[in-house]
Structure formats: structure tokens, C-alpha cells
Amino acid sequence: HEEVARAQEKAQEEARKAHAEILEAQKKAQELVAKAQGELASAKAKAYDEVARAQAKAHEEALKAQEQAAELKLKANEETNKVRGEIVEARLQAQDEVAKAHEALGNVQLKAQDEIAKVNEELSRVKLKAQEQVAKAQDELLQAQQQAQEANLKAHQEIAAAQLKAKDEVHKAHMQALDEVSKAMMKAK
């Protein structure tokens, strides 16, 4: 019985240990996921900030270009055809500046999307790793439980064998005693 108690205690200890490992793995997994989510939020915020800055800059440049064009047009009304030619040129230049600004904005947006995709990919990888760790810990717990059951069964079998052997010994001793008594009685006669 003491052996059984010891085996059960050992099994319980192993199960507790495995359970603690699972909790630790889950905690680590949650920390990794939280970290990745924080990084994603930070990257998104940075990306949105860059887009907003680029939009503001593009808008400012467009306004500046329009103002320049308007000024040149006013000047052209007072000057000769030569100045009118310069206005046309300035307008083309302004349109070119606006196109350039729009292109720059597009590049920033693409870069931001790329950053967000990278962070999402990293988050998926971390989640997968965490799931693997939890699965491993659960598998280890199952193994520990199986080992404990086996140890328990073995202990029970050993006790049963010992009891059977003791019974047999008692029977033998009893028979021997009867034989001795019988012999003594014969001698007495």
C-alpha cells in the first residue's frame, strides 16, 4: 500500500508538473501574441502617420503650384505674348509638380501596406509557434499520466502477488504443523 501511495503521489506530482508546464507555455504564447499585436499597432500607426504627412505635403505643394500659376496668369494679362507663353510653361510645371506629389504619396501608401503585411505575417508565425508549444506540453502531460497509470497497475499487481505468496506460506506452515502434530501423536501411542 505504501508503494501504491508513493506511485500515486509520484504520478500526481508529474501531472502537476506537466500542468504547470502547460500554463507556462500558454503564458509565453500569450506574451508573444501580445508583443506581436503591439508591434502591429505601432507599425500601423507609423504607416498612417506617414500617409497623412505625405497627403498634407502633396496638398501644400499643389496649393503652392496653383498660387504660382494664378500669379503668373495675372502678370500675363498685363504683359506681352511672351509672358503668356511663360504662363503656359508654368502651368505645365505646376501640373508636373502635382503629378510628382501624387506619385510620392502612392509610394508611401505602398510602403505602409508592405510594413503592415510583414507585421501580420510575423504575428501568424508567433501564434503558430505558441500553438505548437501548448500541444507539446499537453502531449507531455498525457505521457506522464500514462506512466503514472502503468506504475499504479504494476504496484497493484505486486501487492496481489505478495498476498498470494503469503497465503501460500501460511497454508504450507499450517500443513506442516498438522503433520508435526500427527507425528507426535503417533509417537505418543
Side-chain angles (χ1 to χ4, degrees), residues 6-182:
R6 271 208 296 274
Q8 283 174 339
E9 198 178 311
K10 194 181 172 188
Q12 282 169 355
E13 182 57 37
E14 282 174 10
R16 273 199 297 273
K17 202 172 162 188
H19 186 62
E21 281 173 14
I22 284 179
L23 289 178
E24 185 60 28
Q26 284 174 339
K27 189 182 165 190
K28 273 186 192 168
Q30 282 165 355
E31 281 171 10
L32 287 168
V33 169
K35 190 186 171 192
Q37 282 172 339
E39 283 172 8
L40 174 63
S42 171
K44 276 184 180 175
K46 194 179 169 188
Y48 291 146
D49 192 42
E50 279 181 26
V51 170
R53 272 208 297 273
Q55 281 175 332
K57 195 181 173 188
H59 187 63
E60 195 181 313
E61 282 177 12
L63 277 174
K64 207 190 274 181
Q66 283 167 357
E67 278 171 24
Q68 283 173 357
E71 278 171 27
L72 287 167
K73 190 180 177 185
L74 217 87
K75 203 176 175 186
N77 288 337
E78 295 164 4
E79 290 178 4
T80 59
N81 288 334
K82 186 191 169 194
V83 180
R84 285 200 182 96
E86 284 174 5
I87 289 172
V88 171
E89 202 178 312
R91 271 187 183 159
L92 282 171
Q93 200 181 334
Q95 284 167 355
D96 190 43
E97 288 290 320
V98 170
K100 275 182 191 171
H102 277 296
E103 193 183 340
L105 174 65
N107 287 341
V108 168
Q109 283 173 330
L110 276 172
K111 195 180 171 188
Q113 283 166 355
D114 189 45
E115 285 293 317
I116 288 165
K118 273 183 194 170
V119 172
N120 279 332
E121 194 183 329
E122 179 64 17
L123 179 63
S124 297
R125 196 176 64 77
V126 167
K127 276 183 181 172
L128 196 76
K129 195 178 173 188
Q131 284 166 354
E132 279 171 12
Q133 284 179 339
V134 169
K136 191 183 171 190
Q138 282 171 341
D139 189 45
E140 283 172 6
L141 173 65
L142 199 72
Q143 278 179 2
Q145 283 172 340
Q146 278 175 353
Q147 282 170 359
Q149 282 171 353
E150 281 169 19
N152 201 3
L153 188 73
K154 195 180 173 188
H156 275 297
Q157 283 171 349
E158 282 173 7
I159 285 167
Q163 282 173 342
L164 207 73
K165 194 179 174 187
K167 215 174 182 181
D168 192 41
E169 291 291 324
V170 168
H171 180 68
K172 272 185 194 171
H174 186 63
M175 291 304 284
Q176 205 175 335
L178 283 175
D179 193 41
E180 291 290 325
V181 168
S182 174

